[in-house]
Amino acid sequence: MATNESISVFSSASLAVEYVDSLLPDNPLQEPFKNAWNYMLNNYTKFQIATWGSLIVHEVLYFLFCLPGFLFQFIPYMKKYKIQKDKPETWENQWKCFKVLLFNHFCIQLPLICGTYYFTEYFSIPYDWETMPRWYMLLARCFGCAVIEDTWHYFLHRLLHHKRIYKYIHKVHHEFQAPFGMEAEYAHPLETIILGTGFFIGIMLLCDHVILLWAWVTVRLIETIDVHSGYDIPLNPLNLIPFYAGSRHHDFHHMNFIGNYASTFTWWDRIFGTDSQFNAYNEKMKKVEKKTE
């Protein structure tokens, strides 16, 4: 009975979204995107698309999303939004981070990306335009991937902080006490594999088209670079997402090496009370701000 009611609710919600979608004006970018997608299919093999296409998408988006935070350090006006104002970025740290990123991206992540072609072939994941899901289905599946990844990240990240193994793996990521966007994927190779597994679990469970892989990469990079940015920007649209952790949440983790273990949402930290020190810190800062007003 409960199962039937759940199915009925989801069906009604789906119909409502489809109705709203039908009222929206035509997307002027849809036709150029369709032409570009079909051109890609006609000129490149599935292996090239799944492997080199995915690598290019990841590299371009990663450094593109890092660019605003990188530029903020040169804009005096933006300094007031920096969370740890006493720890500015340095060229030495950023260069060190960049070199490690290149190693991780091409020596650790690229071999993993090569497996996506064989995954799509084994499970007959389509590439064609005609079966590409609508935008709202892509968003729903990306949200599902985010929930799965966040759950995996919370428990494995918390495990990596265990005193017996912290210094061997996760300590590398905590070399920078004040995070910056590019540092999001700065990690020990084992951590890249361990925590990165959470990214692929959602894909394995929910993928119905290769476009989901790239959409989920986009969503995940936006999120992880935002929480590592080191800046709390007013009117950040990501903060409108219910239970979204945000940059202050994760910045506290880097500042204190404890608590706030989730990657995207706050519910696991709330359930297990691993955000208690963060909450106490926020209350303290609010009192300080009131006194200075």
Side-chain angles (χ1 to χ4, degrees):
M1 184 69 178
T3 302
N4 292 334
E5 289 179 357
S6 298
I7 293 173
S8 177
V9 169
F10 283 118
S11 298
S12 300
S14 178
L15 289 172
V17 173
E18 287 180 11
Y19 175 71
V20 172
D21 181 56
S22 67
L23 299 178
L24 296 175
D26 292 336
N27 184 352
L29 298 178
Q30 182 171 332
E31 195 63 28
F33 180 60
K34 177 181 178 181
N35 294 335
W37 189 268
N38 286 328
Y39 176 86
M40 178 183 70
L41 294 179
N42 293 331
N43 289 276
Y44 299 96
T45 66
K46 287 185 177 180
F47 179 82
Q48 290 173 323
I49 294 169
T51 304
W52 303 115
S54 296
L55 178 67
I56 291 170
V57 167
H58 179 272
E59 295 306 298
V60 170
L61 293 181
Y62 188 87
F63 291 105
L64 181 64
F65 295 154
C66 286
L67 186 60
F70 175 77
L71 296 176
F72 287 166
Q73 64 185 310
F74 306 113
I75 305 174
Y77 177 78
M78 297 306 297
K79 289 182 179 179
K80 65 181 180 179
Y81 300 123
K82 185 167 175 58
I83 300 169
Q84 297 187 56
K85 296 179 174 61
D86 60 328
K87 297 183 180 69
E89 299 92 335
T90 66
W91 285 107
E92 180 183 2
N93 284 345
Q94 290 174 99
W95 176 239
K96 179 182 180 181
C97 179
F98 181 72
K99 290 187 291 185
V100 172
L101 282 179
L102 291 182
F103 174 82
N104 282 348
H105 286 182
F106 290 97
C107 298
I108 307 298
Q109 294 183 12
L110 179 56
L112 296 175
I113 290 173
C114 288
T116 58
Y117 165 73
Y118 300 100
F119 165 75
T120 60
E121 286 294 292
Y122 184 82
F123 289 100
S124 301
I125 303 298
Y127 287 64
D128 59 296
W129 174 266
E130 287 70 26
T131 59
M132 186 180 294
R134 296 287 295 171
W135 63 269
Y136 49 85
M137 292 305 299
L138 268 181
L139 281 180
R141 289 179 183 271
C142 282
F143 177 74
C145 287
V147 172
I148 293 168
E149 190 281 332
D150 182 70
T151 301
W152 176 272
H153 191 101
Y154 176 85
F155 291 103
L156 272 294
H157 181 197
R158 190 172 177 180
L159 178 63
L160 289 175
H161 271 270
H162 192 281
K163 60 183 180 181
R164 292 187 178 180
I165 59 176
Y166 171 78
K167 64 181 180 180
Y168 300 110
I169 302 176
H170 193 52
K171 186 177 179 180
V172 174
H173 184 66
H174 277 281
E175 285 181 17
F176 306 118
Q177 194 173 359
F180 48 92
M182 192 167 59
E183 190 242 352
E185 293 185 350
Y186 178 88
H188 189 285
L190 278 178
E191 179 176 340
T192 299
I193 296 171
I194 293 169
L195 295 185
T197 300
F199 173 89
F200 290 103
I201 293 174
I203 290 294
M204 293 176 67
L205 295 175
L206 300 175
C207 190
D208 60 348
H209 194 282
V210 73
I211 191 65
L212 177 66
L213 175 62
W214 293 355
W216 171 222
V217 165
T218 303
V219 170
R220 178 68 179 122
L221 289 181
I222 290 173
E223 178 276 325
T224 191
I225 291 170
D226 176 60
V227 301
H228 283 92
S229 67
Y231 289 85
D232 186 20
I233 308 298
L235 304 179
N236 182 343
L238 293 177
N239 292 330
L240 298 175
I241 300 172
F243 301 103
Y244 180 67
S247 56
R248 282 196 174 275
H249 188 269
H250 195 69
D251 204 281
F252 180 85
H253 175 78
H254 274 264
M255 191 192 312
N256 298 278
F257 310 106
I258 191 171
N260 293 7
Y261 298 111
S263 60
T264 307
F265 304 108
T266 58
W267 48 59
W268 287 117
D269 283 297
R270 290 184 182 183
I271 290 171
F272 290 100
T274 46
D275 63 348
S276 57
Q277 293 189 32
F278 173 64
N279 294 333
Y281 173 78
N282 275 343
E283 289 300 318
K284 179 181 177 181
M285 293 306 296
K286 286 178 182 178
K287 291 178 181 179
V288 171
E289 290 174 0
K290 285 183 179 179
K291 289 180 180 180
T292 57
E293 286 179 357

